[in-house]
Amino acid sequence: MGLAGIPKPPRFARRVLPVVWPVGAAAVTGLATPVIVAGAFHAFVDKRARLFRVSCLGVGLVWVDVRMLLDCWRLRLKDRDGTGPTWEDDHEQVFLAGLNRAMILGKRWVGFEVRLDDRMHFGNEGAPLVAFARHAGPGDSIALAWLLGHTAGRMPKIVLAEALRWDPMVDTLLTQMRSYFVPSRTGAGDDRVEGVRELARGLKHDDVLLLFPEGQNFSPDRRRRLISRLREAGQELRARRAVSLWNTLPPKTKGVVAVLDERPDADVMIVGHAGFGHLSTPREIWDAIPFTDRPFLVRTHTYAAGDVPDDAPAIAEWLDERWTEIDDWVTAYEGSGTA
């Protein structure tokens, strides 16, 4: 079913979860302590110390999450009405600091490290930026949001699944940052694109809207299922398009067209990454830990607003070409023996 099929928590749960989550985090830490101890002893057998690494990382990320939630409470006590001039900026700083802590933990415990294939170009300083990114492998959304926030110096505005509201920190913090939570498929009648339009409409010159046009994390199984569904539906042209891509899913254009239609003044960054895309099952991820010889390699290309098509059919064709380039680059990188 995936995240898209999970409905958001009911209003009562959204009120209760922020209160009980710090207590729950303490309980998780207590339960994880014997696992960490067992992992330390198991490291004599498993020289890669995977159980120890993963359990320490998990507990660390739980407390990064809790700290971000507590920072949101602190800001609420400071400005009870949420109308102060620095309200949104303060929450953005909490977000960036939390991303930085998470990335530090990822590098320390499992060797997760972001590297650039080439220099990044961030568009014109006076113009907003939209980033259309490949979606594949563990941690890619966090890594890309961190990269754009800390390297590009632009505040990520994120489109994410409504199911993630079950994390009270995500619900509290990203709501204050005007992120868009895409309604689940169970929510009949919701206009899923209008929220993307609204988010694009509100972009400031130092923002970047991060969107994953594939709509879901790539995996070989998802690729095969998508091809089968397209063929069963008689969409042979799209099925052939999906067959031609080995490392990505064909991008969906509805949200992309909505963003570009709403903000024709925005520069466009196409974001590809390699190294983790084929780690799509828990077993594959486990076997690859630690990632010390497997960097999360990012390649970007930025197009000026005037160089991007402005009508839907041309945008779809242009985006397909960009995704073919990403797919070819990933194939060349992972087939070179470098990965």
Side-chain angles (χ1 to χ4, degrees), residues 21 54-68 98-99 101-103 105-106 109 142 167 169:
W21 175 223
V54 170
S55 52
C56 288
L57 175 62
V59 170
L61 291 177
V62 163
W63 285 104
V64 168
D65 192 279
V66 171
R67 178 170 177 176
M68 295 168 76
L99 286 179
R101 294 186 194 102
M103 293 299 295
L105 287 174
W109 290 111
I142 294 176
D167 181 335
M169 181 280 295

Side-chain angles (χ1 to χ4, degrees), residues 6-22:
I6 302 174
K8 68 179 180 181
R11 182 176 299 179
F12 173 76
R14 292 179 66 188
R15 291 178 177 175
V16 171
L17 284 172
V19 178
V20 302
W21 175 223

Side-chain angles (χ1 to χ4, degrees), residues 12-42:
F12 173 76
R14 292 179 66 188
R15 291 178 177 175
V16 171
L17 284 172
V19 178
V20 302
W21 175 223
V23 178
V28 168
T29 303
L31 293 172
T33 299
V35 179
I36 292 173
V37 174
F41 283 103
H42 189 255

Side-chain angles (χ1 to χ4, degrees), residues 60-137:
L61 291 177
V62 163
W63 285 104
V64 168
D65 192 279
V66 171
R67 178 170 177 176
M68 295 168 76
L69 179 62
L70 296 179
D71 283 340
C72 290
W73 292 0
R74 174 180 55 80
L75 293 176
R76 175 60 72 180
L77 291 173
K78 178 181 174 183
D79 183 359
R80 293 184 178 276
D81 297 328
T83 57
T86 64
W87 173 258
E88 188 172 333
D89 290 341
D90 290 342
H91 284 83
E92 290 174 349
Q93 293 308 310
V94 169
F95 179 67
L96 290 180
L99 286 179
N100 205 42
R101 294 186 194 102
M103 293 299 295
I104 290 172
L105 287 174
K107 184 175 181 180
R108 176 181 300 166
W109 290 111
V110 295
F112 186 94
E113 182 180 9
V114 177
R115 295 183 191 172
L116 296 178
D117 182 55
D118 203 351
R119 181 182 175 185
M120 294 178 71
H121 298 275
F122 310 127
N124 297 311
E125 289 187 7
L129 179 70
V130 296
F132 301 132
R134 179 196 185 199
H135 201 7

Side-chain angles (χ1 to χ4, degrees), residues 256-279:
V256 172
V257 170
V259 168
L260 297 181
D261 181 59
E262 195 65 43
R263 296 306 301 260
D265 59 326
D267 297 326
V268 177
M269 176 184 285
I270 301 295
V271 185
H273 57 82
F276 285 73
H278 285 274
L279 301 181

Side-chain angles (χ1 to χ4, degrees), residues 89-256:
D89 290 341
D90 290 342
H91 284 83
E92 290 174 349
Q93 293 308 310
V94 169
F95 179 67
L96 290 180
L99 286 179
N100 205 42
R101 294 186 194 102
M103 293 299 295
I104 290 172
L105 287 174
K107 184 175 181 180
R108 176 181 300 166
W109 290 111
V110 295
F112 186 94
E113 182 180 9
V114 177
R115 295 183 191 172
L116 296 178
D117 182 55
D118 203 351
R119 181 182 175 185
M120 294 178 71
H121 298 275
F122 310 127
N124 297 311
E125 289 187 7
L129 179 70
V130 296
F132 301 132
R134 179 196 185 199
H135 201 7
D140 68 328
S141 53
I142 294 176
L144 295 178
W146 171 84
L147 182 66
L148 291 169
H150 284 272
T151 304
R154 289 179 178 261
M155 181 54 56
K157 301 298 179 182
I158 305 172
V159 178
L160 65 168
E162 197 170 40
L164 293 174
R165 286 190 185 273
W166 283 97
D167 181 335
M169 181 280 295
V170 171
D171 190 18
T172 302
L173 179 57
L174 270 68
T175 296
Q176 302 303 333
M177 290 176 56
R178 298 181 293 109
S179 297
Y180 174 53
F181 292 88
V182 180
S184 68
R185 295 194 185 107
T186 59
D190 288 310
D191 186 350
R192 298 157 69 90
V193 176
E194 182 53 36
V196 177
R197 284 185 174 275
E198 184 177 346
L199 186 59
R201 196 178 302 132
L203 284 178
K204 295 179 289 189
H205 72 279
D206 57 350
D207 287 339
V208 53
L209 191 157
L210 178 58
L211 189 68
F212 298 92
E214 290 160 286
Q216 57 185 334
N217 226 334
F218 170 86
S219 74
D221 285 343
R222 285 197 178 106
R223 175 180 176 271
R224 286 191 290 268
R225 288 197 298 268
L226 176 61
I227 292 169
S228 297
R229 286 198 304 270
L230 292 173
R231 284 175 171 164
E232 290 170 1
Q235 301 182 38
E236 190 57 36
L237 186 61
R238 290 190 64 200
R240 288 201 299 269
R241 170 70 184 144
V243 168
S244 70
L245 301 173
W246 290 98
N247 309 288
T248 58
L249 301 175
K252 300 176 182 178
T253 59
K254 196 173 182 180
V256 172

